[in-house]
Amino acid sequence: MDKETLLIHAARQTATAAHAVSVPLVRTSTTVFDSFDAYKKAQDGLVFDGPRYGRSGTSTTFELQRAMAQLADTETCIATSSGLAAITAVLAAHAGPARHILVSAGVYGPTRVFCDKELIPSGTEVEYFTPDADVSALLRETTSLVFVETPASLTMEMVDVPAVCAAAHARGVPVACDSTWGTPIFFDAHALGIDISVHAATKFINGHSDLLLGLITGTLDALAGVRAHCDRNGTHAAPDTCWLTLRGLRTLAVRMERHQSSALAVARWLRSRPAVQQVLYPALDTDPGHELWRSQFSGAAGPFTIELAPCSEDAFTRFIDRLTLFRLGTSWGGFESLVMPAVPHHLRALAMPADAPRLVRLHIGLESPRDLCDDLAPALSAMQHHPDTTLRD
Ligand SMILES: Cc1ncc(COP(=O)(O)O)c(C=O)c1O
């Protein structure tokens, strides 16, 4: 079945049983059992994708988890309270004194903060690597996980996923990936070798900017430790959020197509603006990550980053405040376009030269791309003509 069809028909068992097309929302803290045998199986953890106690989910949660596992073409899925909770569960399940975790340098800022402020102080060795690093040379006897995000948050560099997986697997080390940008529609993480794929479903998968949720996919084996960690820590998602996410998921494919076509249109238009020095978007053939993107992704999502000409705070403020359709906010993946000054976490400690370009992350929503360009044009022009802006020759 194609993914578009799967999205519509996957995980509707409880809907069919209720003579409905939409799955019932089941809210309960307490699960009751038909027999002592069923109770014992659930409490022994033999049934992970079925009722045990409210914290590990209800039938609504299990439907979403089944849909996502099918879409990602793997065995199982765990829903968590946020995307960050999914990331930290994966990292924490592989952490511990004398363990070593390799993390790609451009991961989402709070992922890095968790490594620096939680894992390292409690004895885990965390080592960051840049996209050009030879991962096989960095692996140690004690390496328990390689964690990547592709493309990198904000700086948009691509990771060579098959190369990283080959190096890690040759040493028996699992690879986890923050796959939020590509979603399973554009990025077949498990087919490329990723063992544990993490999604902030808060973004495209739900797509309606009204909840936070994380999803972790992989084989039963790959997720065994993560599931145990989530059970011990109460990391799971609430049924209401799972129900809304399942509703959003049904339209994911059409939304992704539209995000892609609009983002490409806006990105190409931006390339010709004098105030824009560079557009960091792997879907553009001018991007250094374009070949890797073509070989690993079947499409491109809405967010990308632009480098604006060096300018003063005042000129930059004029640009941001002039925008009306692009609202100023730190998220992405929803129906609405957003703008955010981008300060990549891994570059914060570096002294930036005074003539460094200003990075801005744009999320291209579902509005008309022409209206979005019309919104950007006067804002860019205000910045371009500001006396403090230095345009390239
Ligand atoms: C790439 C990426 N991963 C994970 C997250 C975290 O998701 P959440 O906001 O649901 O915790 C974000 C949020 O911005 C993100 O951009």
Side-chain angles (χ1 to χ4, degrees):
M1 230 186 251
D2 285 336
K3 285 180 181 168
E4 289 85 347
T5 314
L6 201 67
L7 281 172
I8 307 302
H9 292 278
R12 282 174 42 191
Q13 287 170 25
T14 54
T16 308
H19 303 279
V21 291
S22 159
V23 306
L25 167 55
V26 175
R27 294 189 182 108
T28 190
S29 60
T30 309
T31 304
V32 288
F33 299 87
D34 291 337
S35 68
F36 189 39
D37 191 43
Y39 172 84
K40 280 190 293 186
K41 277 196 184 123
Q43 302 311 325
D44 288 348
L46 297 176
V47 185
F48 62 84
D49 211 4
R52 188 172 6 140
Y53 172 60
R55 200 164 50 220
S56 56
T58 70
S59 59
T60 313
T61 321
F62 307 138
E63 290 280 36
L64 172 64
Q65 292 178 163
R66 273 193 289 273
M68 189 62 185
Q70 277 190 53
L71 188 65
D73 202 11
T74 186
E75 288 174 357
T76 192
C77 171
I78 305 167
T80 62
S81 56
S82 70
L84 185 59
I87 292 166
T88 60
V90 169
L91 288 165
H94 292 84
R99 283 181 159 187
H100 171 244
I101 297 182
L102 279 172
V103 178
S104 64
V107 288
Y108 173 57
T111 303
R112 212 169 153 124
V113 172
F114 178 75
C115 291
D116 293 345
K117 304 282 183 207
E118 298 283 339
L119 296 189
I120 295 175
S122 53
T124 307
E125 288 194 68
V126 178
E127 189 177 346
Y128 299 105
F129 66 97
T130 49
D132 54 351
D134 174 6
V135 168
S136 54
L138 300 175
L139 290 161
R140 304 182 194 165
E141 281 303 307
T142 52
T143 307
S144 55
L145 183 73
V146 179
F147 187 99
V148 299
E149 180 181 327
T150 185
S153 273
L154 306 179
T155 45
M156 306 298 289
E157 296 109 340
M158 300 296 300
V159 172
D160 188 342
V161 170
V164 169
C165 291
H169 293 162
R171 302 277 291 271
V173 176
V175 181
C177 179
D178 183 333
S179 313
T180 302
W181 189 81
T183 81
I185 297 297
F186 289 156
F187 183 58
D188 260 329
H190 299 300
L192 289 165
I194 297 293
D195 303 282
I196 303 174
S197 182
V198 184
H199 300 265
T202 309
K203 315 294 177 192
F204 290 116
I205 290 177
N206 174 56
H208 292 76
S209 308
D210 49 9
L211 58 82
L212 290 113
L213 188 98
L215 293 167
I216 310 168
T217 59
T219 60
L220 286 166
D221 235 21
L223 294 200
V226 180
R227 192 185 301 283
H229 176 91
C230 292
D231 284 348
R232 286 192 293 263
N233 287 273
T235 315
H236 300 282
D240 292 64
T241 3
C242 291
W243 188 89
L244 281 168
T245 304
L246 203 43
R247 182 168 74 169
L249 188 73
R250 304 284 179 210
T251 58
L252 179 64
V254 283
R255 287 186 285 107
M256 292 307 283
E257 281 305 325
R258 177 57 187 261
H259 283 296
Q260 166 167 250
S261 64
S262 295
L264 268 171
V266 176
R268 289 188 179 125
W269 176 83
L270 281 165
R271 276 197 305 200
S272 63
R273 300 291 103 190
V276 178
Q277 288 197 345
Q278 212 179 333
V279 181
L280 309 176
Y281 190 37
L284 294 176
D285 53 11
T286 45
D287 190 278
H290 185 67
E291 283 314 313
L292 278 182
W293 170 77
R294 269 171 61 105
S295 63
Q296 295 170 29
F297 285 74
S298 59
F304 58 79
T305 299
I306 55 176
E307 288 184 359
L308 290 180
C311 63
S312 63
E313 197 65 13
D314 183 53
F316 189 62
T317 305
R318 283 199 201 179
F319 165 72
I320 297 278
D321 287 348
R322 187 75 188 257
L323 294 166
T324 56
L325 294 180
F326 283 89
R327 303 300 308 279
L328 179 58
T330 58
S331 195
W332 51 280
F335 51 85
E336 77 294 3
S337 290
L338 290 169
V339 61
M340 181 188 91
V343 188
H345 205 275
H346 60 298
L347 304 180
R348 280 181 197 178
L350 304 178
M352 287 293 163
D355 61 350
R358 294 269 183 161
L359 292 186
V360 175
R361 207 251 318 274
L362 295 177
H363 167 57
I364 306 303
L366 300 176
E367 304 93 334
S368 131
R370 194 179 329 139
D371 287 337
L372 294 178
C373 293
D374 286 350
D375 195 37
L376 285 161
L380 286 169
S381 171
M383 205 205 110
Q384 178 188 337
H385 295 108
H386 192 284
D388 304 339
T389 300
T390 318
L391 296 181
R392 262 196 199 142
D393 293 336

